[in-house]
Amino acid sequence: MTLIFAHRGYSSAFPENTMRAFMEAEKAGAEGLEIDVQLTKDGEVVVIHDEKVDRTTGSTGYVKDFTFKELRKLDASYLHKTLLKKEPIPSLEELFEWMSTTNLVCNVELKNIIFRYEGMEEKIIELVRKYNLADRIILSSFNHYSIIYSYRIDPEVEIAPLLAEGLYMPWVYASSIQAKGIHPKYIAATNEMVKSCMENGIAVRPYTVNKKADMLRFFEVGCSAFITDDPVKALRIRKQFERKSKK
Ligand code: G3P
Ligand code: CA
């Protein structure tokens, strides 16, 4: 079965990368979450997509220049004008603590291309160990050096490179860096590529799959999982697809 991972949580309906969006994704029945992490000035791993807080909180500045206490005062539901309740930027620890009470898998994307965030890998792995989540966490990044470094710190933690473009024989590359999966942009994930990866024991979890036709293509090819902003739509389409294929 193709698993459904909620991109930044259930982000088509709730403020991205907030506990609300994660809890709503779990309530809806998504099997996994995809989240983005950065590091604060005082070394807290926090869940936010951009290097700057501007777009999602309406405040200004780089995450790296805020202490966690300062960052907590911002409202990550800024883009959702109709929501009455404010949503704080979560720490990774807060998310992991809650996750340990669920069965969710979580794909943590390390956003360390623009700023290196020295020491972030160690902090993430420490939290994975603290909450005993090694078998439910997948570390991904466009910074492949960072996930390879993470694997060297702890080979129990699964890694998956993000691939924005088509790569020739990605299963060979994945195996060479000890990755059990790849996360390609959905356009680059052709049926042939998905099949070859999976035949070679490499899971494929394309991002960000929001259109019905693309979802159906990945269900039909039996893709390991995909990452979507709208897990409710994906779950509905998967149910219809499964019903049809049983006939
Ligand atoms: O997981 C891959 C995807 O999330 C990468 O793109 O910009 O949404 O983090 P972005
Ligand atoms: Ca991401």
Side-chain angles (χ1 to χ4, degrees), residues 8 11-12 28 39 42 46 69-70 92 121 124 127 142 148 152 163 171 175 187 201 213 215 230-231 233 235 242:
R8 311 180 194 175
S11 61
S12 66
L39 204 61
D42 53 345
V46 285
K69 204 173 163 199
E70 288 163 349
L92 185 63
E121 293 90 345
I124 294 171
L127 290 171
F142 286 107
I148 293 164
R152 288 192 181 139
L163 304 170
W171 56 93
S175 303
I187 290 288
M215 290 179 178
D230 192 344
K233 176 177 174 179
L235 285 157
E242 282 169 349

Side-chain angles (χ1 to χ4, degrees), residues 213-239:
D214 296 316
M215 290 179 178
L216 278 173
R217 176 166 78 82
F218 290 120
F219 291 138
E220 272 155 18
V221 78
C223 197
S224 324
F226 64 70
I227 299 166
T228 178
D229 293 328
D230 192 344
V232 169
K233 176 177 174 179
L235 285 157
R236 189 181 62 244
I237 293 169
R238 187 175 71 186
K239 204 173 256 173

Side-chain angles (χ1 to χ4, degrees), residues 21 32 68 94 101 103 110 128 144 154 161 182 186 192 233 239:
F68 181 56
E94 181 183 7
T101 67
N103 293 318
L110 287 80
V128 172
H144 296 187
D154 189 347
I182 58 164
Y186 75 102
E192 294 68 32
K233 176 177 174 179
K239 204 173 256 173

